[in-house]
Structures are given as C-alpha cells and as structure tokens.
Amino acid sequence: MLSFGPLVRVAKGPDAVVVTQTDVNQPVEALPRAPGRRPRIHRAWFVAAVTFVTIIGAAAFRSLPGLLIDPLHEEFDWSRGTIGLAVSINLALYGLTAPFAAALMDRFGIRRVVAVALVVIALGSGLTVWMESAWQLLLCWGLLVGLGSGSMALAFAATVTNRWFTTRRGLVTGILTAASASGQLIFLPVLSWMVETYKWRPAAVTVALAALVVVPFVWLLLRDHPADVGLKPYGSEEFVEKPPPATGAARRAVTVLFKAARTGPFWLLAGTFAICGASTNGLIQTHFVPAAHDHGMPITAAASLLAVIGIFDVVGTIASGWFTDRFDARRLLAVYYALRGISLLFLPLLLGATVNPPMIFFIVFYGLDWVATVPPTLALCREQYGEDSAIVFGWVLASHQVGAALVAVIGGVVRDTFGSYDVMWIASGALCAAAALMALVIRRVGAEKPGDEKVVEGALT
C-alpha cells in the first residue's frame, strides 16, 4: 500500500521553493535554489527607491526660500527680518512636526501621512501666488508648507529604514538623506532661472506641481511594512509581524520625549543637531544667495553654487552612511562639525562678484559635510533608544530645525542692522567647534565597535 506524507507549504523566497509533499519521518527543509539562478532584488530596495524619489520631489520647497528674500523685499518692501520670520516659522514647524509625524505613521501608515503632507505643501506653495500682505506669507509659506514639510522630514526616512532594513541601515540612511540634496541639485538652477526671468510666482507654482506629481508614486508604490507583502526585512533571518496600529500618536510622541529627556545623550544629540541646522538650513541655505548677491554675484550664479553643494552632499552623505556602519559615530560627528566650523570661518574672505577657485573649493568641501551628520546622529539615536529611535530622532530633528529657524530670522536682522552677514559666518563657525566637543562627550551604550567585543557603558545622565 502506498504511503504519502503530509502536504506542507513552505513560504516562497529567494532561497526556497514550495514543497508539496514530504516523508513523514524526514524533517521538512526548503529545497535549494537551482544553480545559476540569480537572487531577486529585495522589495526593500524598491521601497527605498520610491522614498528617495518622494523626498526629491518634496525638496523643491527647500530650494526656494533663499531665492525669495530679495524678490519679495523688492516687490512688497518687506524687511529681510520679516521674510526671515516666515522662513523661520517654516523651519521650526518642519522640525516640531517631525516626531508627531513619525507617531502618525505608526498609527495610519506611511503612505497616508506622506500623501497628505505632499498635498498640504502644494496648497501652501500655490496660495502664495495671490498673497499681498506679510501675514499671508507667514500663513502659506510659514504654517502650511512648514506643517507639510515636517511630515516629509527625515523621520520619514528613519521610519522606512527601521521597518524595511536590519542591515545596511547606515548606507540606506545616507542615500535617503542625500535625496534632499539631489532635489536641491535638480530644482535650484531651474527655480533661480525662473525667479530671475519670470519673477518668483512661476517658481512657487513649480514647487506646488512638483509636490503633487509625487503623490501617485507614493500611493501606488510605497508600502508601510515588509509584512504587507509577505517579506522579511532586508538582512533579517526571521519574519517580522506587522505591529497593530498604534493609538494615541500625539501622546506617544510626548511620552517618548519626556522619557528621552531624562537622559544626557538626548540633550547632547539635540544640541549638536541644533547647531547643525543653524549652520546649514538656517544660514547657508537661507542666506547664502542674498549674501553672495550683496557682493555683486548674480542670483543664478549663487544658486548654482548651492546646487553644486547638493552634488557633493550626495557623495558625502552616502559616504557618511558607509562610515557609520564601520566607525564610531561620535568621532565621525566630531570630525564633521570641526571641519564645517573651519570652512565657515573662511567664507567671508571668499565672497565676491565672481566665482573664483577658493570659492569652488569651499563649496566642494562644505558640500561633502552638508548633512553628513545625519547617519551617525540617527545611528546614535537607534543605539540609545531602540524601538523609540524614530520618534526620538524626530525630536532631535526638531532641535535641528529650531536652530535653523533662529538663525534664519537672526541672519535677516543682522543683515538689516549691519549691512552684511560677516558676524553670522564667524558665530556659526564657533558654534560648530562647540558641537564637535559635545559629540565626543556622548557615551556609547550597548554598542559594538567593529571587530571588537561588545562594550557596555552607562549612559550619561
């Protein structure tokens, strides 16, 4: 009499096939892949690619504020301090919204939160075309675009990385962080040409359209969790169940903040990242173009230099992610901030009516360091705070944007008061030196040095 083993279903994967029948006395094992068959690309990389394109599309609004200061000042006679205040509100909300956005993604899913954020960005940017008063600039560009952009902040990249990857996280973080710089590279020359040729309104409409174009890609191609498509996270040996929707998103964000605020590393990370924002988004991205224009440089030339920063930012950020997977994140941060501070101290000597070789060297040098701080900062958040790291990083990012917001408005006031930005360059260089020292004070908790035994130290409290 023939004897048949039980029917067994083995999940499909790159290294297994479906087994339909086995002998009852033999263990069930996945059959090996046929030799010569190439493994499929893991779905996590497609999700990362969609995230990259989404951040590029949303980066258009990040390219515009510095280009609007002089045109709005000339058309409406608003002070640079007033325009800087709108940019300041935008930058502050960009950061303060981020931790709540990370919690909302846990509650409603990444796709819904990001799609709504892009629509809000498009609405805020599009409405600026009809503004006539300064309060409308504060409402549209400050409030609406700030709220939308906060939900598209780096917490988005952190959430995707934490859910879809267990290995190569530093590299993926670097790639996704570089997406913003890539968007700057694409949009800055185009928007500056529009501002100079057709005034600022067509540029604002372009930003709105860029945000809307990305929405279908997010809705159709992005997935919230590997379990949604029956996959393990990239690099994981085990299948991870999708957690149930987390309720009380706002309460959780605040609870995580109070929990993290009782530890020393949080304040050191927040302080260093606040200086990072002050010396990049708040200073260079907002005031470099008008500062260069003060020295006789055309707006398009100054904007092109910012775009070149974007080119080297991509290289520097991806390289920083690679370094973060291999070296001590604290020491990386110290090196990055020290080099940035030195470069800012030399900037007042380099500004002029034409682009000269020393200025090009500054742009390349500064570009490599622009957001290279993000992968090691996120790695330290993950090391210190585990599963809450995305929300903690959201709060650390909030400090980044608060620092940027303060310098955006202070820079405008300094320019109105002294007629130049020289004080801002020198002060920012000194702050970067302080950030380098703060990074070295952060203690490692439960971290492994590459090639060494696990080191366990107490957190700085």
Side-chain angles (χ1 to χ4, degrees):
M1 185 176 181
L2 296 176
S3 175
F4 296 94
L7 295 178
V8 179
R9 182 179 182 274
V10 178
K12 293 183 179 180
D15 297 312
V17 298
V18 176
V19 179
T20 56
Q21 183 176 339
T22 63
D23 187 278
V24 290
N25 297 318
Q26 297 298 324
V28 177
E29 296 182 356
L31 296 180
R33 177 199 308 280
R37 182 181 173 185
R38 298 182 62 185
R40 293 181 302 169
I41 298 175
H42 196 283
R43 178 68 175 268
W45 293 108
F46 291 103
V47 172
V50 173
T51 304
F52 185 88
V53 172
T54 302
I55 296 175
I56 285 179
F61 68 87
R62 299 284 303 280
S63 305
L64 198 55
L67 304 178
L68 293 182
I69 292 178
D70 285 339
L72 292 178
H73 173 70
E74 293 170 2
E75 179 173 339
F76 297 104
D77 199 30
W78 298 335
S79 70
R80 290 178 175 83
T82 299
I83 301 169
L85 178 60
V87 178
S88 177
I89 294 172
N90 179 297
L91 293 172
L93 288 176
Y94 177 90
L96 294 172
T97 305
F100 297 98
L104 286 172
M105 289 177 187
D106 289 341
R107 175 66 178 88
F108 298 105
I110 299 174
R111 283 197 306 169
R112 293 177 181 176
V113 173
V114 173
V116 170
L118 288 168
V119 172
V120 171
I121 290 170
L123 181 64
S125 182
L127 288 176
T128 58
V129 173
W130 292 284
M131 68 181 179
E132 296 179 351
S133 302
W135 69 266
Q136 294 168 330
L137 177 66
L138 300 180
L139 174 64
C140 294
W141 198 261
L143 180 63
L144 291 179
V145 176
L147 288 173
S149 62
S151 301
M152 285 292 303
L154 291 173
F156 173 36
T159 302
V160 169
T161 303
N162 288 348
R163 290 186 182 184
W164 282 88
F165 293 85
T166 57
T167 60
R168 307 296 187 200
R169 281 177 169 175
L171 177 62
V172 174
T173 301
I175 293 173
L176 295 182
T177 303
S180 181
S182 300
Q184 174 178 289
L185 168 64
I186 293 169
F187 287 106
L188 258 176
V190 175
L191 294 177
S192 63
W193 173 79
M194 284 185 173
V195 169
E196 198 163 54
T197 306
Y198 302 105
K199 306 302 181 185
W200 61 271
R201 286 180 175 81
V205 172
T206 300
V207 169
L209 293 177
L212 287 177
V213 164
V214 181
V215 173
F217 290 93
V218 170
W219 194 255
L220 297 176
L221 301 177
L222 195 63
R223 291 295 178 268
D224 294 331
H225 196 278
D228 290 340
V229 289
L231 292 175
K232 305 173 186 176
Y234 179 83
S236 175
E237 296 296 329
E238 299 179 355
F239 183 83
V240 178
E241 295 287 346
K242 182 177 180 179
T247 58
R251 182 173 64 253
R252 184 187 175 204
V254 174
T255 300
V256 170
L257 170 63
F258 281 112
K259 181 180 177 182
R262 292 196 292 269
T263 65
F266 173 80
W267 293 106
L268 291 169
L269 289 168
T272 56
F273 224 39
I275 294 172
C276 178
S279 57
T280 53
N281 301 80
L283 184 64
I284 296 294
Q285 190 162 34
T286 303
H287 295 292
F288 178 80
V289 172
H293 191 55
D294 284 346
H295 288 77
M297 185 179 295
I299 291 178
T300 51
S304 296
L305 289 177
L306 275 184
V308 174
I309 284 180
I311 296 175
F312 290 95
D313 182 18
V314 173
V315 177
T317 307
I318 294 175
S320 178
W322 188 86
F323 289 142
T324 301
D325 286 333
R326 291 162 175 79
F327 301 105
D328 187 340
R330 301 170 305 154
R331 294 175 181 173
L332 288 176
L333 284 178
V335 171
Y336 296 158
Y337 285 120
L339 293 176
R340 182 183 300 176
I342 292 171
S343 66
L344 285 172
L345 293 177
F346 282 96
L347 183 57
L349 305 176
L350 305 178
L351 290 169
T354 59
V355 179
N356 49 52
M359 173 58 77
I360 294 176
F361 179 79
F362 168 82
I363 292 297
V364 173
F365 189 86
Y366 195 85
L368 291 172
D369 199 346
W370 180 268
V371 286
T373 56
V374 173
T377 300
L378 180 53
L380 287 172
C381 286
R382 190 180 298 118
E383 175 186 302
Q384 297 281 343
Y385 303 106
E387 63 182 14
D388 290 332
S389 61
I391 296 177
V392 172
F393 181 71
W395 285 112
V396 172
L397 178 63
S399 71
H400 180 283
Q401 295 308 115
V402 169
L406 288 174
V407 170
V409 67
I410 291 172
V413 172
V414 166
R415 171 60 179 80
D416 289 334
T417 304
F418 298 104
S420 77
Y421 289 98
D422 289 355
V423 173
M424 298 304 302
W425 310 131
I426 296 171
S428 295
L431 284 174
C432 287
L437 295 176
M438 292 166 64
L440 291 175
V441 177
I442 302 171
R443 293 185 182 180
R444 306 184 70 189
V445 179
E448 285 187 357
K449 296 181 180 180
D452 293 342
E453 295 297 321
K454 192 170 185 178
V455 179
V456 180
E457 298 178 0
L460 178 66
T461 58

